[in-house]
């Protein structure tokens, strides 16, 4: 069986998180061939792989969401592209969101229409004008039109994707990945699996609400666009997975059919943490905190450093290792480095990308100050090494650290509020001052990990899912037909 994994903005270009999960999935199932469709912002990422690709990964197809420019000179351009009445109707339905005509949209892009000609053409202009007249007349029409063009540009590029043929498609998110997966299911009549780590629509909503580049009522328009794409993925998927119960509940609230949704927690290989190096001589006498992350705004490293600075004023014998790459968000990383230098924090050490088992043994506690997460692998890695964790109350951090209903393992760390440096600093001091309790938290986390978050547990869950799809594919082939 050949599985095509569709991922947006991660594997194999960015380390950690969803990328680590995808790499683990491919390596966990060597009996299957994998292909990857990588959805990227632009061509600057072309071929810049951060992973050594597994042997059973046979191809990587890159999709760029921003692959051409609309300049001022093109604004008065009128092209000769003409759509059929069926295509016009489908385009109007897509822009208005009033009807599901996705299959006709897929067929439209199958005939290789020019994205530039379509967006600059009369038919798109009329579709936008139609919804503008229905309720957006408080905006300047030219601004509204160009907002709609900028919104549909990445979607249309995604719809232009040259789909690699596979027996099943596995999307690591909804959004543009989900659109590509739904399109593949339509053309190849293959099973579609959607696995959400964070809830894509909610994450995009949060970004848009905070964004300066989206003004006023345009925020609602962008949010509706992402909901529309996610609904397509939910409707067309054969199965929809999430990492924890609350995430599944959010999927249901956003329109996922209840009978398609299942919870499949993350898992890590705990055996890698059995014989790990401990503290080197230079760290003895310190309570060492560690953050294993990529230095990016979503990880809120600024709050982490502020918290460490506050804790350092109360307890001089603490140290912080920040382990992970910084080249993905270079400008933000430079501001973080400058902040540490300006604050004179000599006990903050940036290691760059590391092999986690080689470093985690020197840490007494992990710290995560993210403003958004799914089910962080770094917490599970800490549990495998019997380390407690301080984490913000995002994603499944609370469930991992405090346990879900019916969990009997006890607390495995401390939960804090987002962007609350004082709370995180107090948590660091608590860990420092209560070594025996902190060690018990680490033991609790280890027991929780062994009770359902091992790599073998994850493999068993997905082996069952992939196996059912493989049986379905085999049955269709034996019957000599396709599934509609």
């Amino acid at each position: 069986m050949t599985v095509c994994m569709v991922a947006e903005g991660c594997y194999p270009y960015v380390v950690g998180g969803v990328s680590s999960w995808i790499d683990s999935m491919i390596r966990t199932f060597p009996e299957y061939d994998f292909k990857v469709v990588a959805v990227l912002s632009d061509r600057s990422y072309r071929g810049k792989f951060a992973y050594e690709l597994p042997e059973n990964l046979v191809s990587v197809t890159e999709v760029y969401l921003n692959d051409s420019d609309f300049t001022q000179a093109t604004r008065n351009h009128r092209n000769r592209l003409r759509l059929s009445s069926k295509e016009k109707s489908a385009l109007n339905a897509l822009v208005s969101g009033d009807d599901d005509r996705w299959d006709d949209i897929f067929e439209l892009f199958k005939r290789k229409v020019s994205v530039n000609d379509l967006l600059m053409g009369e038919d798109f202009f009329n579709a936008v004008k139609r919804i503008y007249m229905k309720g957006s007349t408080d905006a300047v029409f030219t601004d509204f039109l160009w907002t709609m063009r900028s919104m549909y540009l990445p979607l249309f590029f995604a719809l232009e994707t040259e789909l690699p043929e596979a027996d099943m498609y596995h999307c690591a998110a909804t959004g543009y990945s989900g659109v590509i997966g739904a399109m593949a299911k339509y053309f190849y009549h293959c099973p579609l699996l959607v696995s959400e780590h964070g809830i894509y629509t909610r994450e995009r909503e949060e970004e848009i609400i905070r964004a300066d580049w989206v003004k006023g009522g345009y925020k609602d328009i962008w949010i509706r666009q992402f909901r529309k794409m996610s609904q397509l993925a939910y409707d067309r998927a054969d199965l929809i997975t999430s990492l924890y119960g609350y995430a599944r509940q959010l999927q249901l609230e956003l329109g996922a059919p209840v009978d398609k949704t299942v919870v499949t927690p993350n898992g890590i290989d705990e055996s890698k943490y059995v014989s790990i190096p401990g503290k080197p001589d230079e760290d003895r006498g310190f309570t060492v905190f560690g953050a294993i992350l990529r230095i990016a705004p979503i990880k809120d490293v600024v709050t982490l450093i502020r918290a460490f600075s506050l804790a350092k004023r109360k307890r001089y014998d603490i140290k912080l290792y920040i382990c992970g790459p910084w080249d993905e968000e270079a400008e933000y990383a430079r501001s973080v480095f400058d902040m540490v230098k300006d604050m004179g924090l000599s006990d903050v050490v940036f290691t760059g990308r590391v092999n986690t088992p080689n470093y985690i043994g020197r840490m007494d506690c992990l710290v995560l100050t993210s403003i958004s997460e799914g089910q962080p692998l770094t917490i599970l890695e800490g549990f495998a090494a019997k380390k407690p964790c301080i984490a913000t109350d995002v994603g499944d951090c609370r469930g991992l650290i405090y346990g879900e209903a019916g969990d009997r393992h006890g607390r495995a760390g401390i939960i804090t509020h987002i962007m609350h440096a004082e709370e995180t600093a107090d948590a660091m001091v608590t860990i420092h001052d209560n070594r025996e309790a902190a060690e018990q938290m680490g033991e609790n986390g280890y027991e929780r990990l062994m009770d359902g978050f091992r790599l073998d547990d994850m493999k068993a869950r997905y082996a069952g899912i992939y196996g059912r799809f493989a049986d379905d594919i085999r049955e269709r082939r034996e019957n000599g037909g396709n599934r509609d």
Side-chain angles (χ1 to χ4, degrees), residues 218-269:
Y218 293 125
K219 291 181 184 288
D220 291 336
I221 295 173
W222 273 100
I223 289 171
R224 285 197 297 271
Q225 177 77 344
F226 285 118
R227 286 186 176 179
K228 181 166 51 180
M229 292 191 293
S230 290
Q231 190 63 58
L232 168 67
Y234 289 153
D235 289 344
R236 301 299 176 92
D238 294 273
L239 189 68
I240 305 162
T241 73
S242 57
L243 294 176
Y244 52 101
Y246 181 64
R248 177 177 179 268
Q249 184 59 43
L250 290 177
Q251 289 175 330
L252 297 178
E253 292 175 6
L254 290 166
V258 64
D259 59 334
K260 291 184 180 181
T261 57
V262 296
V263 175
T264 55
N266 270 331
I268 65 165
D269 183 359

Side-chain angles (χ1 to χ4, degrees), residues 323-463:
C323 305
W326 54 67
D327 54 339
E328 297 162 17
E329 299 276 357
E331 184 176 349
Y332 179 79
R334 283 193 297 270
S335 70
V336 167
F337 299 151
D338 290 343
M339 179 182 180
V340 170
K341 182 178 179 181
D342 292 343
M343 297 176 77
L345 295 173
S346 59
D347 286 327
V348 175
V349 180
F350 295 95
T351 68
R353 185 178 180 181
V354 300
N355 181 20
T356 300
N358 291 343
Y359 258 81
I360 202 168
R362 67 175 61 193
M363 302 169 186
D364 296 295
C365 178
L366 296 182
V367 187
L368 195 65
T369 50
S370 302
I371 59 176
S372 180
E373 286 286 353
Q375 190 176 67
L377 291 173
T378 186
I379 293 181
L380 298 179
E381 290 168 338
F383 288 175
K386 300 185 179 180
K387 308 295 181 181
C389 185
I390 299 167
T392 44
D393 195 3
V394 293
D396 194 34
C397 293
R398 177 176 290 274
L400 290 176
I401 291 175
Y402 289 168
E404 303 287 358
D407 180 277
R408 62 186 184 280
H409 300 298
R411 293 193 174 195
I414 301 172
I415 289 292
T416 62
H417 288 93
I418 297 172
M419 301 179 71
H420 204 309
E422 292 80 4
E423 276 192 9
T424 302
D426 289 344
M428 289 179 171
V429 171
T430 297
I431 294 294
H432 173 281
D433 292 351
N434 298 274
R435 183 59 57 85
E436 186 175 334
E439 290 178 355
Q440 183 59 55
M441 289 178 181
E443 292 288 343
N444 294 344
Y446 178 77
E447 294 299 327
R448 183 166 294 127
L449 169 76
M450 298 300 289
D451 202 21
F453 296 97
R454 299 174 306 131
L455 181 62
D456 285 347
D457 298 322
M458 187 181 80
K459 181 177 180 179
R461 285 184 282 265
Y462 276 100

